[in-house]
Amino acid sequence: MQDKSNLRNMLKEAGILFAITLLAGLLLGVVYEFTKDPIRIQQEKAIQEACESAFPITENDGPGVDGYPRFLFDDYFEYTFDEAFLSELAADGLKIGTIYTVIDNFDPIKELPVYCGHVVEVTSKNGYGGDIVLYVGVDFDGMVRGVSILELSETAGLGMEAPKVLTPQFAGRNVERFIYTKTGAQAENEVDAITSATITTSAVVNAVNGGLRAVQYIRGHSEQAVGLMGGGMNE
């Protein structure tokens, strides 16, 4: 009898635990349904702001094109990289994410938008506190329009100063790659490191260089850019 009583108690407790788990799962599902759209909207807004910061409008840019967003992504263009190039980036702890093609005007003869540059999403896995996700804007002259950091988990007062200390130094420079220095930047390709945050500085500089390399690759392999608005790039 004792064994049967114990079995009933075990079954009862298992049933209660199952009911609690089921209820918790249902509640989580309800919460997810209510929050997924606001979260998605906030993420899209953050990315849009990052793109705008990485490729700000200047007086030399056109007014844009009605009916098209300024930053066109994979729905319009798909960029492919060969495995060797991706392996090189991975060896540096880098991964290329979404690449946005920036438009600023319309060509009435070709009847196509005019593209003025790219914004490249780059993730570095070599941050001191975790992944660093940033956006690099590069125009068709090869000049960096800007850099915007979207995700950063570095040390407060040190690596977390990267958006304030590092990113302004890239804008307006036209170089193949950047290096950082601890003794004061003098050359066009030099960036002043954050004091006592060399790891963060290195990760950010390498990520920006990764974005530059991606744009350079695209320019050298334009045949791999498949456009859905006319069959390719009209540089």
Side-chain angles (χ1 to χ4, degrees):
M1 290 292 291
Q2 185 67 31
D3 290 341
K4 290 184 178 180
S5 177
N6 290 339
L7 179 60
R8 283 196 296 269
N9 288 335
M10 290 176 60
L11 291 174
K12 180 180 179 181
E13 291 173 358
I16 293 173
L17 181 60
F18 174 78
I20 292 174
T21 304
L22 179 62
L23 180 60
L26 291 173
L27 289 174
L28 285 174
V30 171
V31 171
Y32 171 75
E33 287 299 320
F34 274 104
T35 59
K36 67 177 183 179
D37 284 341
I39 291 174
R40 176 183 56 79
I41 291 171
Q42 284 299 113
Q43 290 174 335
E44 291 176 352
K45 181 180 178 183
I47 291 172
Q48 177 71 21
E49 291 174 350
C51 287
E52 291 173 352
S53 180
F55 209 108
I57 297 175
T58 69
E59 60 183 13
N60 295 322
D61 292 328
V65 180
D66 290 340
Y68 294 105
R70 184 163 182 256
F71 302 100
L72 307 179
F73 52 99
D74 290 347
D75 283 353
Y76 299 89
F77 281 99
E78 180 181 358
Y79 298 104
T80 59
F81 301 99
D82 61 41
E83 289 300 321
F85 179 75
L86 295 177
S87 295
E88 289 177 7
L89 291 176
D92 291 333
L94 303 176
K95 180 180 179 182
I96 302 298
T98 304
I99 298 176
Y100 299 85
T101 302
V102 189
I103 63 174
D104 71 348
N105 226 320
F106 190 81
D107 187 331
I109 298 176
K110 294 183 179 180
E111 297 185 345
L112 288 172
V114 177
Y115 313 111
C116 61
H118 296 90
V119 174
V120 183
E121 177 191 0
V122 188
T123 299
S124 170
K125 296 188 176 298
N126 293 332
Y128 185 80
D131 289 356
I132 298 174
V133 180
L134 56 77
Y135 289 75
V136 184
V138 185
D139 67 20
F140 273 162
D141 293 326
M143 184 180 72
V144 176
R145 286 291 191 96
V147 174
S148 178
I149 298 178
L150 185 65
E151 296 181 19
L152 188 68
S153 303
E154 305 298 273
T155 304
L158 296 174
M160 287 301 290
E161 296 298 300
K164 184 194 304 182
V165 176
L166 291 180
T167 57
Q169 299 186 62
F170 299 103
R173 301 197 185 185
N174 192 332
V175 299
E176 287 192 6
R177 65 184 300 272
F178 290 94
I179 60 174
Y180 68 88
T181 176
K182 300 179 182 179
T183 58
Q186 296 182 5
E188 182 74 4
N189 67 331
E190 290 184 338
V191 174
D192 283 323
I194 303 174
T195 303
S196 302
T198 304
I199 293 177
T200 303
T201 300
S202 177
V204 170
V205 171
N206 285 338
V208 172
N209 285 335
L212 284 173
R213 288 163 65 185
V215 172
Q216 291 159 4
Y217 183 99
I218 291 170
R219 304 281 170 79
H221 300 78
S222 59
E223 74 282 354
Q224 295 183 20
V226 181
L228 304 185
M229 300 185 303
M233 298 288 293
N234 61 325
E235 297 187 23

